Amino acid sequence: MTGQILIAGAGEAGLAAAITLRELGYPGTVTLVGAEPEGPYQRPPLSKEFLTAATPPAIPELRAAQFYAEHRIDLVRGTGVRTATWTRTGGVAGLGDGRELPFDAMVLATGSVPLPLPVPGAGLPGIHRLRTLADAHALRDQLEHATRVVVVGGGFIGLEVAAAARTKGASVTVVEAADRLLARVVAEPVSRFVREHHAAAGIRFLLHTRVTGLVAADSAAGGPRVGSVVLATPTGEVRLAADLVVVGVGARPVTELAAHLGVTDERGIVVDAHARTADPRVVAAGDCTVQPHPRDPDRLIRLESVHNATEQGRQAAHSLLGKPHPPRGVPYFWSNQGELKLQIAGLSDDHDDLVVRTDADRCTVLYYRSGALIAADSVNHPRDHLTVKRALASAATIDPARAADPAAPLKTLVTPLR
Ligand SMILES: Cc1cc2nc3c(=O)[nH]c(=O)nc-3n(C[C@H](O)[C@H](O)[C@H](O)COP(=O)(O)OP(=O)(O)OC[C@H]3O[C@@H](n4cnc5c(N)ncnc54)[C@H](O)[C@@H]3O)c2cc1C
């Protein structure tokens, strides 16, 4: 195709789509519109080294400014695409700054936003969330002075922030409604390993505990500010003192723009395995999408990872230009929580068996379905992670009977799938 391709959302997915369009030789206009003031940057460091570095680190840009000029990518920053409509001659996008941009095809790469905590007091100063560079700067500033930090949510971002706050010397409590950490994504042995590691570093965990309110401190200099967190525990209501609260209870896909184009449902922007929506002029990629599960295409899943965002962004570009699609790789994710490095390869949600390999310092859980390896979570075990990733990429499996021995190198147990 020729003409004008408009990419809404200048994150990992949007940038990957823009770069791939140029790599594939697309000659037309590529406009990458991002609502944030910065050009595309990496989000993962925001909850990790960005919070703990002694001096404020530089913006973790994905590409330097001249890259966009060299590749003829028109980067529009600091304003979002508010509306998108089809006319008889093509699409018209209305930007937040009042401009109108025509387009022939659109890439929706609008990401996700943190879910709010739906309790009284959630808007008090001193309560933070973490998605953007601006959020990270604000949180970093607060962490300099905070002494009692409460993290609401024992997911990846919550645990990364908790580890960072502990490194900075604060007393840290993580409050989690489920009965274990990371319950949506890893098996119980990994949850336990992670909790024990953080507990040994001094982080306190309140599991099976809900936050029901946030209350201002009695007399805070400079105006009202959070002073305590109200908890519903199995034994009744409790108040926990806090001078900084970080909420990490999940994120919702940004679908407002997609709704204008009629390609969304309540779970996200619905795409196929190649990032195509029901409208051939519109593709979508990254955290804003739901896509078919690779083993069960009738089930739509949301993958929130850098790997998925970049891969779907590339798929989206191929789809728009009608090019043969590159193969999808093995999904992977990582989370650095202080000294602890958690790595996930593959999708484990439909496993029917698992094998645990653990010793004092590290832990790997291998997931199987119908006897075949489908995924693994590794904590502080990059070698196991790499072996599993390679095995999955080459349609191999790992002998479950022998994998439980942590002394047996996994790579010696890899066999082709029969
Ligand atoms: C703190 C943090 C730590 C993370 N750590 C890890 C990690 O360790 N490993 C990992 O794999 N993943 C991690 N992730 C997840 C990963 O960063 C995301 O999955 C990935 O960035 C998604 O990319 P995306 O392009 O889909 O969305 P985003 O990166 O969210 O980009 C979407 C962009 O679109 C903009 N936008 C929204 N609506 C509009 C509009 N209408 N017009 C224009 N622009 C719009 C948004 O402002 C945003 O800038 C982390 C995420 C966060 C927040």
Short mmCIF file of all heavy atoms in Angstrom, two decimals, residues 8-14 33-36 43-48 79-82 109-112 130-131 157 160 254 257 285-288 303-307 309 332-336, ligand 1:
data_model
loop_
_atom_site.label_atom_id
_atom_site.label_comp_id
_atom_site.label_asym_id
_atom_site.label_seq_id
_atom_site.Cartn_x
_atom_site.Cartn_y
_atom_site.Cartn_z
N ALA A 8 -1.02 5.43 16.42
CA ALA A 8 -1.46 6.09 17.66
C ALA A 8 -0.83 5.37 18.82
O ALA A 8 -1.14 4.21 19.10
CB ALA A 8 -2.98 6.05 17.76
N GLY A 9 0.10 6.05 19.50
CA GLY A 9 0.79 5.45 20.63
C GLY A 9 2.26 5.25 20.30
O GLY A 9 2.60 4.45 19.44
N ALA A 10 3.13 6.02 20.99
CA ALA A 10 4.56 5.96 20.69
C ALA A 10 5.29 5.21 21.80
O ALA A 10 6.17 5.74 22.48
CB ALA A 10 5.12 7.37 20.52
N GLY A 11 4.90 3.95 21.99
CA GLY A 11 5.61 3.08 22.94
C GLY A 11 6.36 2.01 22.15
O GLY A 11 6.67 2.19 20.97
N GLU A 12 6.64 0.90 22.82
CA GLU A 12 7.39 -0.20 22.17
C GLU A 12 6.67 -0.69 20.91
O GLU A 12 7.29 -0.91 19.87
CB GLU A 12 7.53 -1.38 23.13
CG GLU A 12 8.28 -1.10 24.41
CD GLU A 12 9.77 -1.32 24.28
OE1 GLU A 12 10.26 -1.64 23.17
OE2 GLU A 12 10.46 -1.14 25.30
N ALA A 13 5.36 -0.88 21.03
CA ALA A 13 4.61 -1.47 19.91
C ALA A 13 4.54 -0.49 18.74
O ALA A 13 4.79 -0.88 17.58
CB ALA A 13 3.21 -1.85 20.36
N GLY A 14 4.22 0.76 19.02
CA GLY A 14 4.11 1.76 17.95
C GLY A 14 5.43 1.95 17.24
O GLY A 14 5.50 2.01 16.00
N VAL A 33 2.31 9.12 16.66
CA VAL A 33 1.78 10.13 17.58
C VAL A 33 1.77 9.58 19.00
O VAL A 33 1.18 8.53 19.26
CB VAL A 33 0.33 10.52 17.19
CG1 VAL A 33 -0.18 11.63 18.11
CG2 VAL A 33 0.26 10.96 15.74
N GLY A 34 2.44 10.28 19.91
CA GLY A 34 2.51 9.83 21.30
C GLY A 34 1.97 10.87 22.26
O GLY A 34 2.31 12.06 22.16
N ALA A 35 1.14 10.45 23.19
CA ALA A 35 0.51 11.39 24.12
C ALA A 35 1.50 11.92 25.16
O ALA A 35 1.30 13.00 25.71
CB ALA A 35 -0.66 10.70 24.81
N GLU A 36 2.57 11.17 25.40
CA GLU A 36 3.53 11.62 26.42
C GLU A 36 4.50 12.64 25.82
O GLU A 36 4.72 12.64 24.59
CB GLU A 36 4.32 10.43 26.97
CG GLU A 36 3.44 9.49 27.79
CD GLU A 36 4.25 8.33 28.34
OE1 GLU A 36 5.12 8.55 29.17
OE2 GLU A 36 3.99 7.18 27.92
N ARG A 43 9.99 1.27 29.35
CA ARG A 43 9.31 1.33 30.65
C ARG A 43 9.97 0.44 31.72
O ARG A 43 9.97 0.81 32.90
CB ARG A 43 7.84 0.93 30.53
CG ARG A 43 7.06 1.94 29.76
CD ARG A 43 5.56 1.78 29.82
NE ARG A 43 5.00 2.55 28.73
CZ ARG A 43 4.87 3.87 28.74
NH1 ARG A 43 5.20 4.56 29.81
NH2 ARG A 43 4.41 4.51 27.69
N PRO A 44 10.50 -0.74 31.37
CA PRO A 44 10.99 -1.62 32.44
C PRO A 44 11.93 -0.96 33.46
O PRO A 44 11.78 -1.20 34.67
CB PRO A 44 11.65 -2.77 31.66
CG PRO A 44 10.81 -2.87 30.43
CD PRO A 44 10.50 -1.43 30.06
N PRO A 45 12.88 -0.11 33.05
CA PRO A 45 13.77 0.46 34.08
C PRO A 45 13.04 1.34 35.10
O PRO A 45 13.56 1.58 36.19
CB PRO A 45 14.76 1.31 33.27
CG PRO A 45 14.66 0.82 31.86
CD PRO A 45 13.26 0.31 31.69
N LEU A 46 11.84 1.81 34.76
CA LEU A 46 11.17 2.78 35.64
C LEU A 46 10.89 2.22 37.03
O LEU A 46 10.84 2.98 38.00
CB LEU A 46 9.85 3.26 35.02
CG LEU A 46 9.93 3.92 33.64
CD1 LEU A 46 8.56 4.45 33.24
CD2 LEU A 46 10.97 5.03 33.60
N SER A 47 10.66 0.92 37.12
CA SER A 47 10.35 0.33 38.43
C SER A 47 11.58 -0.37 39.00
O SER A 47 11.48 -1.06 40.01
CB SER A 47 9.20 -0.67 38.28
OG SER A 47 9.43 -1.53 37.17
N LYS A 48 12.72 -0.18 38.36
CA LYS A 48 13.92 -0.91 38.78
C LYS A 48 15.04 0.12 39.05
O LYS A 48 14.91 0.92 39.98
CB LYS A 48 14.31 -1.92 37.67
CG LYS A 48 13.15 -2.86 37.31
CD LYS A 48 13.49 -3.79 36.16
CE LYS A 48 12.36 -4.73 35.79
NZ LYS A 48 11.22 -4.12 35.10
N THR A 79 0.85 14.98 22.51
CA THR A 79 -0.58 15.12 22.22
C THR A 79 -1.10 13.79 21.70
O THR A 79 -0.41 13.11 20.95
CB THR A 79 -0.83 16.26 21.20
OG1 THR A 79 -2.24 16.42 21.07
CG2 THR A 79 -0.24 15.98 19.83
N GLY A 80 -2.28 13.44 22.14
CA GLY A 80 -2.83 12.14 21.74
C GLY A 80 -3.75 12.25 20.54
O GLY A 80 -4.16 13.35 20.15
N VAL A 81 -4.05 11.10 19.96
CA VAL A 81 -5.10 11.05 18.93
C VAL A 81 -6.41 10.89 19.70
O VAL A 81 -6.60 9.91 20.42
CB VAL A 81 -4.90 9.84 17.98
CG1 VAL A 81 -5.98 9.82 16.93
CG2 VAL A 81 -3.52 9.89 17.34
N ARG A 82 -7.27 11.90 19.58
CA ARG A 82 -8.53 11.86 20.35
C ARG A 82 -9.64 11.14 19.60
O ARG A 82 -10.44 10.43 20.19
CB ARG A 82 -9.00 13.30 20.63
CG ARG A 82 -8.19 14.03 21.64
CD ARG A 82 -8.97 14.10 22.98
NE ARG A 82 -8.14 14.69 24.00
CZ ARG A 82 -8.06 16.01 24.20
NH1 ARG A 82 -8.76 16.83 23.47
NH2 ARG A 82 -7.28 16.47 25.15
N ALA A 109 -1.70 1.50 19.01
CA ALA A 109 -0.66 1.00 19.92
C ALA A 109 -0.72 1.85 21.19
O ALA A 109 0.28 2.44 21.61
CB ALA A 109 0.70 1.08 19.25
N THR A 110 -1.91 1.91 21.76
CA THR A 110 -2.19 2.88 22.82
C THR A 110 -1.88 2.37 24.23
O THR A 110 -2.08 3.09 25.21
CB THR A 110 -3.67 3.32 22.74
OG1 THR A 110 -4.50 2.15 22.55
CG2 THR A 110 -3.89 4.25 21.56
N GLY A 111 -1.41 1.12 24.36
CA GLY A 111 -0.92 0.65 25.65
C GLY A 111 -2.00 0.45 26.68
O GLY A 111 -3.17 0.17 26.35
N SER A 112 -1.61 0.61 27.93
CA SER A 112 -2.57 0.45 29.02
C SER A 112 -2.29 1.49 30.09
O SER A 112 -1.26 2.16 30.07
CB SER A 112 -2.49 -0.97 29.59
OG SER A 112 -1.19 -1.22 30.06
N LEU A 130 2.52 3.79 38.85
CA LEU A 130 3.75 3.81 38.05
C LEU A 130 3.49 3.26 36.66
O LEU A 130 3.26 2.06 36.48
CB LEU A 130 4.83 2.99 38.76
CG LEU A 130 6.21 2.95 38.09
CD1 LEU A 130 6.70 4.33 37.75
CD2 LEU A 130 7.20 2.24 38.99
N ARG A 131 3.50 4.16 35.70
CA ARG A 131 3.40 3.74 34.29
C ARG A 131 4.35 4.55 33.42
O ARG A 131 5.02 4.03 32.55
CB ARG A 131 1.96 3.93 33.81
CG ARG A 131 1.74 3.55 32.35
CD ARG A 131 1.55 2.06 32.17
NE ARG A 131 1.77 1.61 30.81
CZ ARG A 131 1.81 0.36 30.42
NH1 ARG A 131 1.65 -0.61 31.29
NH2 ARG A 131 2.01 0.03 29.17
N ILE A 157 5.03 -5.17 39.26
CA ILE A 157 5.41 -3.78 39.52
C ILE A 157 5.45 -3.52 41.01
O ILE A 157 6.38 -2.90 41.53
CB ILE A 157 4.48 -2.81 38.76
CG1 ILE A 157 4.79 -2.92 37.27
CG2 ILE A 157 4.66 -1.36 39.24
CD1 ILE A 157 4.00 -2.02 36.37
N GLU A 160 8.65 -5.04 42.40
CA GLU A 160 9.85 -4.30 41.98
C GLU A 160 9.98 -3.00 42.78
O GLU A 160 11.07 -2.64 43.25
CB GLU A 160 9.79 -4.01 40.48
CG GLU A 160 9.97 -5.28 39.66
CD GLU A 160 9.88 -5.07 38.15
OE1 GLU A 160 9.76 -3.91 37.71
OE2 GLU A 160 9.93 -6.07 37.42
N VAL A 254 -5.97 0.63 26.87
CA VAL A 254 -6.54 1.91 26.42
C VAL A 254 -7.25 1.66 25.09
O VAL A 254 -6.59 1.39 24.08
CB VAL A 254 -5.42 2.97 26.25
CG1 VAL A 254 -5.98 4.26 25.67
CG2 VAL A 254 -4.75 3.23 27.60
N LEU A 257 -9.90 5.09 21.63
CA LEU A 257 -9.75 5.42 20.22
C LEU A 257 -10.25 4.28 19.34
O LEU A 257 -10.93 4.48 18.33
CB LEU A 257 -8.28 5.72 19.94
CG LEU A 257 -7.92 6.19 18.55
CD1 LEU A 257 -8.66 7.47 18.19
CD2 LEU A 257 -6.42 6.40 18.47
N ALA A 285 -1.49 -3.37 18.27
CA ALA A 285 -0.36 -4.10 18.85
C ALA A 285 -0.09 -3.64 20.28
O ALA A 285 -0.32 -2.49 20.62
CB ALA A 285 0.89 -3.86 17.98
N GLY A 286 0.41 -4.59 21.08
CA GLY A 286 0.89 -4.26 22.42
C GLY A 286 -0.15 -4.45 23.51
O GLY A 286 -1.13 -5.19 23.36
N ASP A 287 0.07 -3.74 24.61
CA ASP A 287 -0.75 -3.93 25.81
C ASP A 287 -2.24 -3.65 25.59
O ASP A 287 -3.06 -4.07 26.40
CB ASP A 287 -0.26 -2.97 26.92
CG ASP A 287 1.00 -3.44 27.61
OD1 ASP A 287 1.66 -4.36 27.07
OD2 ASP A 287 1.34 -2.89 28.67
N CYS A 288 -2.57 -2.90 24.54
CA CYS A 288 -3.98 -2.55 24.33
C CYS A 288 -4.78 -3.69 23.70
O CYS A 288 -6.00 -3.59 23.58
CB CYS A 288 -4.10 -1.28 23.47
SG CYS A 288 -3.33 -1.43 21.84
N LEU A 303 -1.29 -10.10 26.66
CA LEU A 303 0.11 -10.27 27.06
C LEU A 303 0.68 -8.87 27.28
O LEU A 303 0.64 -8.04 26.37
CB LEU A 303 0.89 -11.00 25.97
CG LEU A 303 0.44 -12.43 25.66
CD1 LEU A 303 1.24 -13.00 24.50
CD2 LEU A 303 0.59 -13.32 26.90
N GLU A 304 1.18 -8.62 28.45
CA GLU A 304 1.74 -7.30 28.75
C GLU A 304 3.25 -7.44 28.93
O GLU A 304 3.73 -7.65 30.04
CB GLU A 304 1.10 -6.74 30.02
CG GLU A 304 -0.38 -6.49 29.88
CD GLU A 304 -1.04 -6.23 31.23
OE1 GLU A 304 -1.02 -5.09 31.68
OE2 GLU A 304 -1.54 -7.20 31.81
N SER A 305 3.96 -7.39 27.82
CA SER A 305 5.42 -7.52 27.90
C SER A 305 6.05 -6.78 26.72
O SER A 305 5.40 -6.57 25.69
CB SER A 305 5.83 -8.99 27.83
OG SER A 305 5.56 -9.51 26.55
N VAL A 306 7.30 -6.43 26.91
CA VAL A 306 8.05 -5.77 25.84
C VAL A 306 8.13 -6.70 24.63
O VAL A 306 7.95 -6.27 23.49
CB VAL A 306 9.46 -5.39 26.35
CG1 VAL A 306 10.35 -4.98 25.20
CG2 VAL A 306 9.36 -4.29 27.38
N HIS A 307 8.40 -7.98 24.90
CA HIS A 307 8.53 -8.92 23.78
C HIS A 307 7.26 -8.95 22.95
O HIS A 307 7.30 -8.87 21.72
CB HIS A 307 8.86 -10.32 24.31
CG HIS A 307 8.82 -11.36 23.24
ND1 HIS A 307 7.79 -12.25 23.10
CD2 HIS A 307 9.66 -11.62 22.21
CE1 HIS A 307 8.00 -13.02 22.06
NE2 HIS A 307 9.13 -12.68 21.51
N ALA A 309 4.89 -6.67 22.74
CA ALA A 309 4.61 -5.38 22.09
C ALA A 309 5.44 -5.23 20.82
O ALA A 309 4.92 -4.84 19.76
CB ALA A 309 4.91 -4.24 23.06
N TYR A 332 8.32 -14.20 26.19
CA TYR A 332 9.12 -14.16 27.42
C TYR A 332 8.93 -12.84 28.15
O TYR A 332 8.46 -11.85 27.58
CB TYR A 332 10.60 -14.45 27.15
CG TYR A 332 11.33 -13.36 26.40
CD1 TYR A 332 11.95 -12.31 27.10
CD2 TYR A 332 11.40 -13.38 25.02
CE1 TYR A 332 12.61 -11.31 26.41
CE2 TYR A 332 12.07 -12.37 24.34
CZ TYR A 332 12.66 -11.35 25.04
OH TYR A 332 13.31 -10.34 24.36
N PHE A 333 9.30 -12.87 29.41
CA PHE A 333 9.11 -11.73 30.30
C PHE A 333 10.18 -11.79 31.37
O PHE A 333 10.67 -12.87 31.70
CB PHE A 333 7.71 -11.84 30.95
CG PHE A 333 7.38 -10.69 31.86
CD1 PHE A 333 6.87 -9.52 31.33
CD2 PHE A 333 7.60 -10.77 33.23
CE1 PHE A 333 6.57 -8.44 32.16
CE2 PHE A 333 7.33 -9.69 34.06
CZ PHE A 333 6.79 -8.53 33.52
N TRP A 334 10.55 -10.65 31.91
CA TRP A 334 11.49 -10.66 33.04
C TRP A 334 11.05 -9.64 34.08
O TRP A 334 10.31 -8.70 33.77
CB TRP A 334 12.91 -10.34 32.56
CG TRP A 334 13.12 -8.90 32.24
CD1 TRP A 334 13.63 -7.94 33.07
CD2 TRP A 334 12.78 -8.23 31.00
NE1 TRP A 334 13.64 -6.72 32.43
CE2 TRP A 334 13.13 -6.87 31.18
CE3 TRP A 334 12.23 -8.64 29.80
CZ2 TRP A 334 12.93 -5.92 30.17
CZ3 TRP A 334 12.03 -7.70 28.81
CH2 TRP A 334 12.38 -6.36 28.99
N SER A 335 11.48 -9.86 35.29
CA SER A 335 11.19 -8.89 36.36
C SER A 335 12.37 -8.91 37.32
O SER A 335 12.70 -9.95 37.90
CB SER A 335 9.91 -9.32 37.10
OG SER A 335 9.73 -8.53 38.26
N ASN A 336 13.03 -7.75 37.48
CA ASN A 336 14.15 -7.65 38.41
C ASN A 336 13.67 -7.01 39.70
O ASN A 336 13.18 -5.89 39.68
CB ASN A 336 15.28 -6.80 37.82
CG ASN A 336 15.84 -7.42 36.56
OD1 ASN A 336 15.56 -8.58 36.27
ND2 ASN A 336 16.61 -6.65 35.82
C1 LIG B 1 6.95 0.21 35.42
C2 LIG B 1 6.86 -0.87 34.39
C3 LIG B 1 7.80 -1.90 34.38
C4 LIG B 1 7.72 -2.90 33.43
N1 LIG B 1 8.67 -3.88 33.44
C5 LIG B 1 8.65 -4.84 32.47
C6 LIG B 1 9.66 -5.82 32.41
O1 LIG B 1 10.54 -5.89 33.26
N2 LIG B 1 9.62 -6.71 31.39
C7 LIG B 1 8.66 -6.68 30.42
O2 LIG B 1 8.66 -7.49 29.49
N3 LIG B 1 7.67 -5.75 30.47
C8 LIG B 1 7.65 -4.84 31.47
N4 LIG B 1 6.66 -3.90 31.52
C9 LIG B 1 5.59 -3.95 30.53
C10 LIG B 1 6.04 -3.30 29.24
O3 LIG B 1 6.69 -2.10 29.49
C11 LIG B 1 4.79 -3.09 28.37
O4 LIG B 1 4.21 -4.35 28.12
C12 LIG B 1 5.15 -2.42 27.06
O5 LIG B 1 5.76 -1.17 27.30
C13 LIG B 1 3.89 -2.22 26.24
O6 LIG B 1 4.18 -1.44 25.14
P1 LIG B 1 3.02 -0.72 24.35
O7 LIG B 1 3.68 -0.01 23.24
O8 LIG B 1 1.93 -1.67 24.07
O9 LIG B 1 2.39 0.31 25.37
P2 LIG B 1 3.03 1.58 26.10
O10 LIG B 1 4.46 1.39 26.36
O11 LIG B 1 2.13 1.86 27.25
O12 LIG B 1 2.88 2.74 25.03
C14 LIG B 1 1.64 3.25 24.66
C15 LIG B 1 1.78 4.73 24.48
O13 LIG B 1 0.60 5.20 23.83
C16 LIG B 1 0.25 6.45 24.38
N5 LIG B 1 -1.15 6.69 24.05
C17 LIG B 1 -2.27 6.17 24.62
N6 LIG B 1 -3.37 6.61 23.98
C18 LIG B 1 -2.94 7.40 22.98
C19 LIG B 1 -3.59 8.12 21.95
N7 LIG B 1 -4.94 8.12 21.82
N8 LIG B 1 -2.84 8.84 21.08
C20 LIG B 1 -1.49 8.83 21.17
N9 LIG B 1 -0.82 8.19 22.14
C21 LIG B 1 -1.54 7.46 23.01
C22 LIG B 1 0.55 6.29 25.83
O14 LIG B 1 0.68 7.55 26.46
C23 LIG B 1 1.86 5.52 25.78
O15 LIG B 1 2.95 6.39 25.70
C24 LIG B 1 6.70 -2.88 32.47
C25 LIG B 1 5.74 -1.87 32.48
C26 LIG B 1 5.82 -0.88 33.43
C27 LIG B 1 4.79 0.22 33.45
#
